[in-house]
């Protein structure tokens, strides 16, 4: 039994850590050897291609098994769409809001199953998905398209099939971010948000998907770094015993694994400190403590947990129950045989995903059920992708919407600033003279109003304008009604191909929005 292990080994089983780069580094190796860290999280910067990822996971398992005697949870945020860690030679499913736009929960199941099969074949066994947040705040900078929609029933309808798909594909799933990150206007990666709702309001909206997931048997739930004053006026959910134990465990009946969001996020680091926050999360009832990036902080947190245990500040019986939960889930999920790596990015998955992507495209304004012809001189405009939130991948991709579309469909291309000024807007509009049609891609334009001003100014030229929202569809809410508009939900080559097919009339955009864009 794990609870027979020495204290260092026990602490290592309760923690999850990460490292920079595509190879195990010395600091991380020393962390595992010293503190017997038993679980690892991977990010996009750890991954270059599917073969490298498979070899890295093998190295991780070898290191952790040698040092701890137990296999490792290897976790990843493979939500799909805007939050995708898998490399380009794997299948990258659409994100939550895009899948919900198809109107068919079977698509969420299929997306989960494909993802789990490929993760398992590569050596990843724990997917930090589905997102159970209800995106009821359109100014939310961190959730947005990561949510299935603005109503709890929509989230439940699609998140639970995603969970089942991950389960049937052999991966551990994790609902997040309890008790709900959907009604914030602050990114908890950067600061500490506050959601001051009554318990009745929380039960009706935020908590409903989590309660449904608990009842459906979700194996793990991740806590959020948000203060809910009506639940605990002093501490964020991650550090609150009232929320993690009183609400989630005792009132809602969750018996699975509670894990924290990363304790290095500024909501915790700047307000409480990573080390103190990690100890308090353990006291609050979290089973798995996530320190994602810095080996020295993970080591300091492990030492502080040891001191708290030795001082009797952490309940011993509760500590042992956490170890038992971790052990049980490792036995259940980590001994399952994985598919042959050839399944990763295979033609069958690619074709299923291509069809799914096309069904996500959501027309917001169309005249006569179709978009205008591009003509012989289309002009493609839009900003390059940028890191809209810390949870997004680093924005170092040379891919741009305008250049890609012009290369594919002909015409001219111009990459614009992410929030153009009045002078820049005037200059861009002047350069579109002679265009037969203008296609502009927006990226979080609702939070960068210069983009939307540019779209509306372009519409005054007397030339057809098509706006394509390449992240949050809220961009399309305040556009001139004469502008054709399409929600595409992600900034990737695969969605650009799907958009190109719609613009050429080769396929039809059939998605339905799950958030309010236009008033009735």
């Amino acid at each position: 039994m794990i609870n027979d292990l020495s204290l260092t080994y026990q602490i290592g089983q309760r923690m999850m850590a990460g490292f920079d780069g595509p190879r195990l580094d010395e600091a991380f190796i020393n962390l595992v050897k010293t503190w017997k860290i038993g679980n690892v999280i991977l990010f996009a910067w750890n991954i270059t291609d599917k073969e490298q990822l498979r070899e890295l996971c093998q190295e991780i398992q070898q290191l952790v098994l040698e040092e701890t005697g137990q296999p490792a949870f290897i976790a990843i945020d493979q939500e799909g769409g805007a939050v995708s860690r898998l490399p380009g030679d794997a299948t990258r499913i659409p994100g939550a809001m895009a899948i919900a736009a198809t109107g068919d929960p079977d698509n969420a199941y299929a997306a989960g199953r494909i993802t789990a099969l490929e993760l398992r074949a590569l050596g990843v066994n724990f997917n930090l998905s589905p997102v159970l947040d209800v995106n009821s705040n359109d100014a939310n900078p961190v959730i947005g398209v990561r949510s299935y929609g603005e109503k709890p029933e929509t989230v439940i309808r699609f998140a639970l099939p995603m969970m089942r798909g991950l389960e049937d594909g052999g991966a551990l799933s994790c609902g997040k971010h309890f008790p709900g990150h959907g009604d914030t206007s602050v990114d908890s990666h950067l600061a500490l948000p506050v959601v001051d709702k009554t318990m009745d309001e929380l039960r009706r909206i935020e908590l409903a998907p989590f309660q449904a997931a608990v009842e459906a048997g979700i194996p793990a739930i991740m806590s959020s770094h948000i203060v809910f004053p009506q639940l605990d006026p002093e501490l964020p959910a991650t550090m609150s015993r009232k929320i993690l134990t009183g609400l989630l465990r005792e009132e809602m009946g969750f018996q699975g694994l509670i894990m924290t969001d990363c304790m290095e996020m500024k909501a915790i680091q700047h307000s409480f400190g990573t080390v103190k926050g990690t100890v308090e999360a353990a006291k609050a009832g979290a089973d798995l403590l996530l320190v994602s990036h810095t080996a020295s902080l993970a080591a300091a947190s492990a030492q502080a947990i040891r001191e708290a245990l030795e001082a009797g500040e952490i309940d011993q019986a509760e500590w042992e129950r956490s170890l038992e939960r971790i052990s049980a889930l490792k036995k259940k999920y980590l001994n399952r045989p994985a598919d042959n790596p050839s399944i990763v990015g295979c033609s069958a998955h690619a074709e299923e995903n291509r069809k799914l992507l096309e069904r996500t495209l959501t027309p917001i304004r169309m005249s006569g059920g179709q978009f205008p012809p591009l003509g012989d001189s289309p002009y493609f405009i839009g900003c390059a992708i940028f890191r809209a939130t810390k949870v997004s991948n680093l924005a170092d991709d040379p891919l741009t919407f305008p250049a890609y579309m012009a290369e594919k469909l002909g015409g001219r291309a111009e990459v614009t600033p992410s929030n153009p000024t009045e002078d820049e807007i005037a200059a861009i509009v002047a350069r579109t003279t002679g265009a037969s049609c203008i296609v502009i891609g927006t990226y979080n334009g609702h939070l960068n109003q210069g983009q939307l001003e540019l779209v509306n100014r372009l519409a005054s030229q007397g030339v057809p304008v098509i706006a394509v929202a390449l992240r949050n569809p809220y961009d399309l809410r305040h556009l001139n009604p004469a502008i054709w508009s399409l929600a595409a939900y992600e900034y990737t080559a695969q969605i650009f191909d799907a958009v190109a097919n719609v613009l050429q009339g080769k396929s039809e955009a059939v998605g339905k929005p799950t958030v309010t864009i236009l008033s009735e």
Side-chain angles (χ1 to χ4, degrees), residues 3 22 57 63 92 114 138 174 335 352 473-474 496:
N3 59 5
C57 288
L63 172 65
R92 296 193 284 190
I114 286 173
D138 60 10
C174 178
N335 292 321
E352 188 172 356
Y474 306 111
F496 298 167

Side-chain angles (χ1 to χ4, degrees), residues 62-377:
Q62 182 179 353
L63 172 65
V64 172
L65 196 57
E66 285 177 356
E67 294 298 327
T68 73
Q70 299 289 332
F73 285 140
I74 300 179
I76 199 168
D77 291 291
Q78 186 56 32
E79 299 170 12
V83 180
S84 293
R85 311 300 192 213
L86 283 176
D89 52 1
T91 304
R92 296 193 284 190
I93 63 165
M97 194 177 288
I99 288 175
T102 70
D104 187 353
D106 287 345
N107 290 329
Y109 174 86
R113 186 171 180 276
I114 286 173
T115 297
L117 289 172
E118 296 202 6
L119 289 176
R120 290 278 300 161
L122 292 168
V124 179
N125 49 49
F126 196 166
N127 192 22
L128 305 180
S129 178
V131 171
L132 296 174
D133 302 315
V134 180
N135 201 72
S136 55
N137 186 338
D138 60 10
N140 194 324
V142 66
I143 302 300
V145 289
R146 300 169 64 199
S147 167
Y148 289 98
E150 66 187 8
K151 296 179 180 179
E153 52 267 33
T154 302
V155 175
I156 293 167
R157 185 170 178 238
F158 288 90
L160 297 193
M162 175 72 171
M163 178 195 81
R164 288 193 292 271
L166 289 168
E167 173 75 24
D168 289 351
L172 184 65
S173 63
C174 178
K176 58 190 187 185
H177 307 79
F178 183 82
H181 208 318
D183 194 13
T184 67
S185 56
V186 173
D187 184 346
S188 54
H189 294 82
L190 304 175
L192 182 63
V194 176
V195 175
D196 194 6
K197 288 186 170 182
T198 66
M199 192 63 201
D200 286 344
E201 289 173 313
L202 291 171
R203 282 198 182 97
R204 190 172 68 252
I205 300 174
E206 276 79 4
L207 293 176
F210 289 96
Q211 187 67 66
V214 168
E215 293 169 5
I218 196 163
I221 287 178
M222 176 184 285
S223 63
S224 66
H225 303 330
I226 301 174
V227 174
F228 293 82
Q230 302 299 320
L231 303 181
D232 188 329
E234 298 178 356
L235 295 172
T238 292
M239 297 166 58
S240 171
R241 188 164 182 85
K242 293 176 182 177
I243 295 175
L244 296 191
T245 297
L247 177 59
L248 182 54
R249 282 259 185 255
E250 296 172 357
E251 184 175 333
M252 296 175 67
F254 182 57
Q255 297 303 310
L257 181 79
I258 299 176
M259 72 177 296
T260 72
D261 209 337
C262 178
M263 302 304 290
E264 293 188 62
M265 289 164 58
K266 290 182 173 58
I268 298 296
Q269 193 175 77
H270 285 185
S271 300
F272 304 95
T274 294
V275 175
K276 175 179 171 58
T278 302
V279 174
E280 293 303 315
K283 293 179 184 179
D287 301 300
L288 195 57
L289 308 162
L290 179 55
V291 183
S292 302
H293 307 294
T294 310
S296 59
L297 277 175
S301 298
Q303 177 62 38
I305 291 168
R306 173 188 281 280
E307 292 169 1
L309 278 164
E310 291 172 341
E313 297 172 7
I314 297 175
D315 182 84
Q316 186 62 34
E318 194 169 272
W319 176 267
E320 291 179 3
R321 284 195 295 273
S322 287
L323 292 170
E324 288 166 3
R325 287 187 193 101
I326 292 166
S327 177
L329 287 174
K330 286 190 173 184
K331 287 176 182 175
K332 180 177 180 180
Y333 287 90
L334 273 54
N335 292 321
R336 296 182 179 185
D339 278 291
N340 189 296
S342 63
I343 197 174
V344 180
C346 67
S347 58
H349 284 180
E351 179 60 16
E352 188 172 356
N353 196 52
R354 184 191 65 78
K355 292 177 179 178
L356 175 55
L357 277 162
E358 287 196 344
R359 291 194 290 271
T360 69
L361 292 176
T362 305
I364 304 301
R365 279 197 175 97
M366 281 175 56
S367 177
Q370 59 186 10
F371 290 102
L374 295 176
D376 57 6
S377 184

